[in-house]
Amino acid sequence: MISTIDPNYNIKFYRLGWYGGAGGRQVLATGQLPGSQQQLCSTIDTSTLLLECKWTTSYTLAVPYNAADDTDWGSGYYLAKLTGSSGKQSYIPFVVRDDNQSADFLMQAAVTTYQAYNNWGQETGTYPGKSLYVFNSSAGIKARKVSFNRPYIDGRGAGQLFAYEIRTLRFLEREGYSV
């Protein structure tokens, strides 16, 4: 679910890891997609300060699966890089998993932590930014619930991933561990 004022945007998808030090490899790119600005979000529950966006689907990714090629969208961390026709960019981290795959290690994506610190709010609306923490919530009042159905603040969806998890992921893959 994407909201943009740009008339068009594209998405490039990357699998993250070691890749000889490159940090990732592109696995798919869309052509130009039509941009649209989604409706304002509304507070769902004023007692918890939960903000949730009821946006329409902008793009659906069908993850390919090729049982004969475990490198084809293999289990792992992925990043969708959105680039608007204006040149502005935003990122969406996600995980592809294979429940039938065995591995040396399980690495957990801290997606709930991403949202706990995400203090996105509507700059022009009646709902200012709230997270689950006082220090980065507007007016020092934290939310008691947050939703995955809202943007990341300033489009920094990959911020937590790149700040903490990527080093571990790259190390494990560089050393040849199945993750």
Side-chain angles (χ1 to χ4, degrees):
M1 297 169 198
I2 299 161
S3 182
T4 181
I5 58 172
D6 286 351
N8 299 297
Y9 67 95
N10 66 52
I11 309 171
K12 291 183 179 176
F13 296 92
Y14 298 88
R15 184 181 185 282
L16 304 178
W18 177 242
Y19 297 105
R25 69 176 168 92
Q26 184 176 315
V27 293
L28 179 70
T30 68
Q32 288 293 311
L33 301 168
S36 67
Q37 191 167 10
Q38 302 268 7
Q39 66 184 357
L40 289 177
C41 304
S42 60
T43 301
I44 303 302
D45 184 344
T46 56
S47 67
T48 62
L49 300 179
L50 171 75
L51 177 67
E52 190 167 50
C53 301
K54 305 275 187 190
W55 289 356
T56 59
T57 300
S58 306
Y59 179 82
T60 301
L61 172 65
V63 175
Y65 178 71
N66 180 352
D69 181 2
D70 63 0
T71 64
D72 183 33
W73 287 82
S75 192
Y77 279 72
Y78 287 79
L79 187 69
K81 176 180 166 185
L82 292 79
T83 304
S85 49
S86 68
K88 290 184 180 178
Q89 295 180 329
S90 188
Y91 304 91
I92 304 170
F94 64 100
V95 171
V96 171
R97 68 180 207 195
D98 180 353
D99 292 341
N100 296 318
Q101 176 185 347
S102 62
D104 299 322
F105 293 98
L106 168 70
M107 185 165 171
Q108 178 177 324
V111 294
T112 53
T113 300
Y114 303 168
Q115 283 301 344
Y117 283 95
N118 180 16
N119 62 347
W120 183 85
Q122 296 173 176
E123 299 79 20
T124 60
T126 58
Y127 189 86
K130 301 288 182 195
S131 77
L132 294 180
Y133 299 95
V134 170
F135 79 90
N136 72 339
S137 292
S138 63
I141 301 169
K142 67 179 184 169
R144 292 200 332 249
K145 284 186 180 181
V146 293
S147 173
F148 282 91
N149 292 333
R150 64 187 179 134
Y152 287 102
I153 185 73
D154 296 329
R156 296 180 303 209
Q160 295 288 326
L161 168 64
F162 284 125
Y164 304 106
E165 297 169 4
I166 195 72
R167 291 182 196 105
T168 303
L169 172 67
R170 293 182 73 197
F171 168 79
L172 290 169
E173 287 199 356
R174 183 187 74 213
E175 296 302 313
Y177 292 108
S178 172
V179 182

